[in-house]
Structure formats: structure tokens, C-alpha cells
Amino acid sequence: MSSQPTSVAVRPDGTAARPTAFQRWSVPALTLAGLAVLLWVGQSGALTKYTQTVIMFMAVNVIVSASLNLVNGYMGEFSCGHGGFMAVGAYVSSVLGVLLFAKDRVFGPPLLPPEWALVGFPLIVLVGGLAAALAGLLVAIPSFRTRGDYLAIITIAANYIVISAVENLDVIGGSRGFMGMKRVVKAMGRAWDLPWMLLWSFGFAVFTLWILRRFVYSTYGKGVMAICQDEVAAEIMSVNTNRMKVAAFMLSSGLAGVAGGLFAHIVGYVNPGSFGILKSTEALVMVYLGGMGSLSGSVLSAVLFTLLLEALRPLQIIKWIVVPLLLILLMQFRPEGILGNRELADVFPGLRRFFRFK
Amino acid sequence: MLSTIVQNLLNALQWGSFYALIALGYSLVYGVLLLINFAHGDVFMVGAYIGFFVATFLLTQAAGLPGWVVLAVTIPATMALTAVVGVTLERVAYRPLRRKGANRLYVVITALMAGLILEHGNLALLGASRKKFPELINEVVYTVGGVSFTNLKIAVILAAFAVFVLLHFIVTRTKIGMAMRAISYDKFAVPLMGIPIDTVIVFTFILGSSMAGLAGVLFAMSYPVLEPYMGALIGWKAFIAAVVGGIGDIRGAFVGGFLLGAVEILVVAFFPSTFRDLIAFTVLLVILSFKPTGLFGVAKTTKI
């Protein structure tokens, strides 16, 4: 087959309707290349442990901002309790991990051989995500009847409910926090010496973007954007808005739970205080910095925001004056964020020739 | 038995007074601008600190003044200075966005960030050490039939009620109150009628912030430990109280504040005190699920 078949239907934006082999395989190839680079970085010690941690936080923040973008950007609701769902995911996966694969003072010897952590780790992170998705119902069901500011309150209340529920559970440490996840990560490392946390955080970040992209641009998922445009009209156009909202909230909070699980295993310690309103505010900042309804914007802003936080670390407490100030300036001069509601490929149409991400 | 109930009722009224005073500020601003002023809880915190500085200044510079004189000067001064903070916030952060006709959401984000700046600016300027509010008046404990209360507690409750009556009078009976209601009714027609919309908005912020300043002083007198994060949680809770009452409505904020106070005191009376937030927020979530626009809110119909 020649590289430029003449009879291919061409879309108005100049791309071929049928993706070429290059377009089809460039994203998976890039993902694999990314994994390979991370593998090399982790094994060779080319980057310090600190830089590696920053990369992992970037991946976690990508998941957080992209998943919140589904609700706040694509669906146009104002959810400000994302930290609560991260807490659910973090705690469920941490407790499961320690219970199954590590020796602990409270839970006793591991229930399964620690080597199984290799397979078990992604599963416990996903179970944490599932639990967080169920917690998302706490917000999804009231959202049938409420919108806007009232829903914002419900999400804040849900965040506080989760945090103070965890604080009152003494089995998992209460407000003192919970630790032991490092042993699970070590168990994975002993079974097969690879930089597992790097690989998994990157993998889950790509997985999140892929699943969100698939969801939002599917025929079913277009209902989410329809709700954002006009809820009543969407209802009339046969979008089952209630079911749509449940799906969007559960997907969003579930992915936040995945991010929480990864975060817990990267840091090796969780306490309820680290998932409070401040965490939720960070997530909001990333969504609006990147642009509502733009996945590539979320990725960009998550990366930039993580770098910014790390760069400002020497300023200590001043950091939390500089960051909000930057955001206020952003709101004054470019309120739609970095990319607005466009994707990277809309800003640079030439990029379309190189990849197809669906 | 009866005395326990009355005792708890008094506690609830006092605790609810703080929520009500802060919730009034949220509600006023929301009623006029449809803006959730998330920085309001931190304005309350700033108010408490301003009160602390004014009181300490007076006590050290003009030593020998009786406590009640200091208090009588501190309260209006704090209210005025806190109002300046609130109005500055409006002028610097919110008004440029409003002029540009920016989406409401951007204003909300700005408010959130302004709150963070107030919190951490305070932390950076004054350090993490807690401040102790000076004792201005002697707390006198009265005991009537097994119910004990202090003069401070009564003063707080009375202040909250007085503020409510005053605000209700301003909003319903005065010209500027009418202008405030008019703006919330139709933002576009009001300037055409020759009503200076910015003046009215500034007035709203003055009212709301000075109430937060009053609440700050009263709170600091009742619980005399100041720290930069004191406004965050109480601010969020007061906001929730305002929403439960039906945000935008003065009565709603007032009732919501006392309701939240009552729920919290009741929870502490029967459960371990760490359950306070959990149960209080759950109750509010349930109320909002059944009455989505709050107790006094009126559901708006959506036109197609």
C-alpha cells in the first residue's frame, strides 16, 4: 500500500477519516517509550530519588486534575470535594495492601504471600478506586435535584464527612494517620526489582486519560457535555440526566480514588489532614489553570503546577501566598486557563497528522 | 433534667450566634451578587486578629483604662477595619472581574484564593505561634436554678439578635436595602434606573465584613486563642449554615446558623466530641437532599 492513498475520505480539518498506521500506533508507542524511559531512570539511578518522587506526584496530579475536569469542566458542575474521594481511595487501598501483603502491628502477619503484591498492587489500587466511586454516590444522588452553589456545598460537606469519618476510625489510626505502605512497595521490589511506583503511576495516568477520552467522546458520554450546555434541553433530547450524572460522578471520584491510592503508596503515609479542603482546592486550581473541558490542558496544568510547587518549596509558607496570587492574576487576565476548552490538537492542528487518541 | 436542656439550649444559642453572624455576611453578598465569597471565613479570622491588635494597643498605650472602655472602643474600631479589609478585597479582586463580565465561577475561584492568601499571609507575617486575646471584662458566672451562664454568653446572643434585627431593618425598610434587593432581582435593569450599583455593592461588603469583625471579637473573647486557620473551618460551616437556611435570605442565614449550632451542641451532648463534624455535616447533607434550596429558599423554575 502506498503511503498516500488517493481515495481516502478527508475530513474538513484535513485529517484522513481512517487513521494511518502512524497515527494509530504513535500514542501506544509513546506510552511504551515513556515506560521504558522511566524503567531506565529508575534502574540506572540517572535521576535522584527526589526527582523521581516529583515525577510520580506529577502523574498523580494528572489523574486528579483530569478526573475532576470530567465533573467541573465537561459537566459544568462545581464540585469542590475531590480530596475526600482521594482519601477514600487512599485509605481503602492502603489498608488492603497492608492487610494482604505486609506485616503490621495491628493487622498481624500478611494474609497472602508478599510476592503476590506484584499482581495485587494494581488490584488494590483499583479496589480503592471502586470504593471511592461508591463514595461518589454521596454526591451524585443529591445532584439529581440540586445544581450550582447548592451542589458545591454538598461536595464540601461530603469532603468533611469523609475526613471526619476517617478521623473517628481508630482501627486505621484516626487522625494520627496510617502507615506501612512502604512495606508493600518493598515487597514488590523484592519480588522483582523494578521501579514499580514510577511505572504504575505513569501507567495509571495514561489509563485515566484514555478512559476519560473514551468516555467523554463516546455517544453515551456526549450526554455529559449536553448536561453542561443545558440540562433541561438534554433531558428532552432523551439524555437520562440522572444516570449520566451518576456515571460521571462515579467515574470522576473513582479515578480520584485511584490517585489517592497511588499517592498513599508513594508517600508511604496517609493522614486525614492531607486530604482536606486544601487538597480539593489544589485540584480545582489545576482544572481551572488548564482549562475546563480540556484533557490536554489538565495534563499540562498538572505538570506545571507540580513543578511550580516544587520550585517554590524554598519559600516555605510564602509559597501559599504566591500560588494563590498567581491564580488570581490568571483569573484576571486569562480566566479560561491555559488551553480554554480546546485540546492541544485544536490549538496546533498540525499535530493531528501525527496521532489519534481515542 | 430541665436545667440540662436549658443549659444546652443556651450553649447552642451562643455557638449558633457565631455561625449566624458569619452566615449573614455570606448571605448578604450572595443575595446581591450571587457570589460565594469564600474568603469570608478568613475575613472573620482577620477580624479577630484586628480586634486582638486594637485591644492590646489600647491596653499598652493607654494603661489604666477600664476594660469596658477598651471593649467599647475595640468593637467599633475592629468592625471598621475589618470592613476596610472586605472592601479592599472587593475593589482589588472582585470588581475588575465583574467589570469584565467574567463567569461567576472565576470570581468564586478568586475568592477561594483570596482566602488562602489571607490565611497564609497572616501565618507568614505573624508566625505560627498562637495569640492570646486579652481579658477585657470580668466574666461573671450566674447560676439560676442549676443553669449557669456568663455575662459574655448573654452578650454574644444579644449581639447576634441585635445584628439580625438591624440587618433585617436595613434590607427591608431602607432605600439602600431596597437597592440591594433590586440588584439581586435584576442586575441589568438596576443601573438603568440610576442606582449606583458599585456603591450598593461596597455597602453590602461593609455590612458583611463588619459583622464578621464583630463575630471575630466576640469569638476571641469567648475562646481567647487566635490562630491563622481559625477562620477556615468555622467559615465553611457558616457558609453551609447559610445554604441550609436558604442563601440570599437574611432570615435563612440566621436560622441556619442557630440550627447548625444546636445540632453541634446536641451531638457533643450525646456522642464523643470528635463526632461533631461528622454528624453535623451528615444532618446538613440530609436536609439539603430533601430541601435542595434550603429552608427559606424559593426554588427557581428553569425556563427553556
Side-chain angles (χ1 to χ4, degrees), chain A residues 72 77-78 80 138 142 145-146 148-150 152-158 160-162 164-165 167-168 230 232-233 236 277-278 281 284-285 288 292 317-318 320-321 323-325 327-328 331-333 335-337, chain B residues 30 34 36 38 92-94 96-97 100 104-106 108-110 112-114 116-117 120-121 123-124 229 232-233 236 239-240 243 246-247 274-275 277-278 281-282 285 288-294 297 302 304:
Chain A
N72 281 30
E77 298 285 6
F78 188 58
C80 35
L138 204 67
R145 294 180 60 195
T146 42
D149 306 323
Y150 291 93
I153 301 310
I154 289 175
T155 59
I156 297 169
Y160 273 117
I161 286 174
V162 169
S164 57
E167 274 173 357
N168 282 303
D230 191 324
V232 180
I236 294 167
I277 289 288
L278 203 61
T281 314
L284 281 176
V285 168
Y288 295 108
M292 294 156 74
I317 196 67
I318 312 273
W320 281 109
I321 303 173
V323 171
L325 203 60
L327 202 77
I328 288 183
M331 288 295 143
Q332 299 281 353
F333 298 110
E336 69 272 28
Chain B
Y30 188 89
L34 291 183
I36 309 176
F38 274 133
V92 175
Y94 306 150
L97 281 175
K100 281 180 210 158
R104 250 181 58 212
L105 209 59
Y106 303 137
V108 172
I109 304 282
T110 306
L112 262 176
M113 294 301 125
L116 281 182
I117 290 184
H120 293 98
L123 200 58
Y229 293 109
L233 187 62
W236 287 105
F239 174 45
I240 291 182
V243 172
I247 195 163
T274 47
F275 278 60
D277 293 355
L278 183 64
F281 282 119
T282 313
L285 199 76
L288 275 185
S289 303
F290 286 102
K291 200 120 176 45
T293 49
T302 317
I304 304 170

Side-chain angles (χ1 to χ4, degrees), chain A residues 74-110:
Chain A
Y74 288 107
M75 201 156 76
E77 298 285 6
F78 188 58
S79 159
C80 35
H82 222 46
F85 304 125
M86 283 183 75
V88 173
Y91 267 91
V92 168
S93 62
S94 309
V95 170
L96 265 182
V98 172
L99 189 67
L100 293 179
F101 305 119
K103 204 161 78 109
D104 190 72
R105 259 185 308 121
V106 184
F107 297 121

Side-chain angles (χ1 to χ4, degrees), chain A residues 29 64 82 110 116 148 152 161 170 181 187 189 210 232 236 239 242 272 348-349:
Chain A
V64 170
H82 222 46
W116 288 18
I161 286 174
D170 245 353
M181 286 76 85
W210 178 76
V232 180
I236 294 167
V239 174
N242 283 359
F348 302 107

Side-chain angles (χ1 to χ4, degrees), chain A residues 56 139 168 255 321 354:
Chain A
M56 290 189 268
V139 174
N168 282 303
L255 290 171
I321 303 173
F354 301 114

